[in-house]
Amino acid sequence: MTTLRGIAVFLVCLLAGTTAVCVRPAVADTQVFPIPSASTSKNDGNDAGLIVPILITDPDGELRYLLAPMIIKNSIVGTRGTFNLFRYDTGGRQMQFIGSFTERMERKLVFNYVDPAFSEGRYFLNFGGSFFKNATSRFFGLGQRTIESDQTNYTAREARANWRFGVYANEVTQIAVGQRVRQVSLQRGATDLPFTGDRFPTVDGVQGETIIVGHRATFYYDTRNNLFSPTDGMAVTAYAELNQNVQNSTNPLYSRYELEVKKLFPSESKRAILVIRTDLQATLGREVPFFEQSSLGGQNNLRGYGVDRFIDKNLIAASIEERIHVARAKVAGVAADFEVAPFLDTGQVFNSFKDVSFKDYRMTPGIGFRGIVGANVVGRIDYGWSKEGGAIFAGLDFPY
């Protein structure tokens, strides 16, 4: 009971990159904890505000609901009001709802439901949908050799829906099928940068509305000892996806493929864990919208650059990270482990495999700081350096 409440409070404290120190809740059915919040992002600007987590437990003391209203002042889009709702049920089932309204342009509605043990643990079930407007999206053009001075801004207006159904072949293998629908249109952004539609009018996906319907088959092989904070094992994900661009009558079909491998090498004491990730992506087809292609930059790869810094049809990427345990302390009355994680990310995007060149690889060294509570909650801040000045990212999970 205490552990669940502590984990929930720690999760909320890390939302939006807050560095606040949480207060351990008293044993009660409902608890409220106002917490200051601050974060920064290369594309999204600076945030400062207040988050008010509300924890609701059942008569047995088990956490059932986590409500988290937020009021945030952003340096680019102004004041943002957000309401987060999480519901937790037995068997690992979770439901999430997020609603957000920002002073300038941005909107967000998200619903997601996941049941990792559907029908007595034989199947995996996930479905959800979202609508959002992101007014700080960036585009530099296609290819690895785009330059920083070509940076443009747009508002991504998107609606999405998806479902996935998986069958467990054994304890470490899952085969899943799923579908997705994605509707995208570009509008003028919130910054003083040139509008993407004016600078790159001929790039596929820039003009008009795009509707994508995708069908995916995925293979998962996972021997890691924990899904959220593993210390040993390997994970392999491979998928093939056939997509239809409904608005394109001349070249509507294209396909996407990915193979990702992650391997953890713990020391004997497990106080240091070497993690290696490789990723290969390929897109086949003509007139593929730029936002459907592979990208480098952001909190999960090439962390020295902003989100979607490099975009093209195909991608090769690799990362190496050493997670070093440095301390253990109490957070909300629960034991928390803290890590420092030096890393190196590298990769390139390209239009054709014949274009792959060693000189086009970008490298971003950096360092991360992690807090881990229990087995399910990870908070992190990563700084990556690049020739364009570097970037800072905060998240609620490991980058890979």
Side-chain angles (χ1 to χ4, degrees):
M1 176 179 69
T2 303
T3 300
L4 281 173
R5 284 198 293 267
I7 288 174
V9 173
F10 183 70
L11 182 149
V12 174
C13 292
L14 289 167
L15 283 172
T18 180
T19 57
V21 176
C22 300
V23 179
R24 180 177 181 177
V27 177
D29 290 335
T30 302
Q31 293 292 324
V32 181
F33 308 96
I35 300 170
S37 172
S39 67
T40 183
S41 168
K42 191 175 182 69
N43 288 3
D44 298 334
N46 303 317
D47 285 345
L50 185 70
I51 180 171
V52 185
I54 303 169
L55 282 70
I56 301 175
T57 59
D58 63 17
D60 295 327
E62 296 295 326
L63 180 66
R64 285 292 176 256
Y65 294 94
L66 171 61
L67 290 72
M70 304 169 59
I71 184 73
I72 301 293
K73 179 70 173 181
N74 178 267
S75 59
I76 298 177
V77 295
T79 302
R80 175 186 299 117
T82 303
F83 178 76
N84 300 274
L85 170 63
F86 302 85
R87 173 172 171 166
Y88 306 95
D89 292 312
T90 57
R93 293 190 301 273
Q94 294 186 19
M95 184 273 290
Q96 175 189 30
F97 171 80
I98 300 174
S100 177
F101 184 91
T102 306
E103 185 178 357
R104 293 186 61 197
M105 302 182 185
E106 295 196 340
R107 309 287 185 266
K108 179 185 284 187
L109 286 173
V110 177
F111 173 82
N112 189 59
Y113 176 85
V114 59
D115 185 350
F118 180 66
S119 186
E120 300 181 351
R122 291 173 293 188
Y123 309 109
F124 176 97
L125 178 64
N126 173 225
F127 59 88
S130 62
F131 169 83
F132 63 89
K133 296 175 68 175
N134 181 357
T136 59
S137 300
R138 308 299 169 88
F139 183 64
F140 298 77
L142 295 174
Q144 187 69 25
R145 301 183 183 181
T146 57
I147 58 177
E148 189 176 13
S149 60
D150 284 340
Q151 181 176 194
T152 63
N153 171 225
Y154 66 94
T155 295
R157 182 188 183 279
E158 295 198 29
R160 301 182 182 184
N162 64 274
W163 66 267
R164 178 160 65 93
F165 181 80
V167 178
Y168 293 104
N170 53 48
E171 292 183 354
V172 298
T173 307
Q174 180 193 136
I175 299 173
V177 295
Q179 290 181 307
R180 67 186 179 101
V181 178
R182 185 182 187 188
Q183 182 272 337
V184 183
S185 59
L186 272 60
Q187 302 172 348
R188 292 191 176 273
T191 75
D192 295 330
L193 292 168
F195 174 48
T196 301
D198 294 337
R199 180 70 64 87
F200 299 100
T202 62
V203 172
D204 292 314
V206 168
Q207 302 294 341
E209 180 185 63
T210 303
I211 299 177
I212 304 297
V213 179
H215 315 272
R216 177 181 293 191
T218 309
F219 169 84
Y220 299 94
Y221 175 80
D222 195 345
T223 65
R224 294 175 299 171
N225 55 357
N226 185 276
L227 181 62
F228 299 100
S229 54
T231 59
D232 198 358
M234 180 175 68
V236 178
T237 302
Y239 76 74
E241 183 179 72
L242 178 64
N243 300 280
Q244 180 180 7
N245 186 343
V246 177
Q247 304 293 87
N248 187 330
S249 59
T250 56
N251 293 287
L253 296 179
Y254 60 94
S255 57
R256 300 169 62 192
Y257 308 89
E258 181 178 19
L259 173 63
E260 181 187 44
V261 180
K262 296 177 281 189
K263 175 63 176 175
L264 295 90
F265 300 90
S267 65
E268 185 175 351
S269 65
K270 293 192 176 181
R271 296 182 65 87
I273 303 171
L274 178 67
V275 188
I276 297 176
R277 188 267 298 269
T278 59
D279 192 16
L280 174 65
Q281 298 178 20
T283 304
L284 303 180
R286 300 177 60 185
E287 300 183 32
V288 181
F290 75 91
F291 45 80
E292 282 282 292
Q293 300 183 34
S294 299
S295 72
L296 283 172
Q299 66 179 2
N300 296 323
N301 62 33
L302 220 58
R303 282 167 278 181
Y305 293 93
V307 176
D308 295 338
R309 173 60 183 88
F310 302 102
I311 299 176
D312 214 326
K313 281 188 172 182
N314 309 297
L315 173 152
I316 295 177
S319 297
I320 183 169
E321 180 173 288
E322 183 78 11
R323 299 171 184 169
I324 304 169
H325 183 272
V326 294
R328 172 169 287 189
K330 290 286 188 178
V331 176
V334 180
D337 293 300
F338 296 91
E339 296 179 346
V340 60
F343 63 82
L344 175 66
D345 297 338
T346 185
Q348 67 173 291
V349 296
F350 47 94
N351 182 262
S352 171
F353 280 86
K354 67 181 181 181
D355 299 328
V356 176
S357 171
F358 182 78
K359 67 180 180 180
D360 285 333
Y361 278 96
R362 299 292 188 268
M363 293 192 180
T364 59
I367 190 166
F369 302 93
R370 314 287 163 72
I372 305 166
V373 175
N376 298 322
V377 178
V378 178
R380 67 179 170 107
I381 296 176
D382 289 341
Y383 170 77
W385 179 87
S386 73
K387 294 181 179 180
E388 296 182 1
I392 298 175
F393 297 98
L396 286 173
D397 54 7
F398 286 113
Y400 46 84

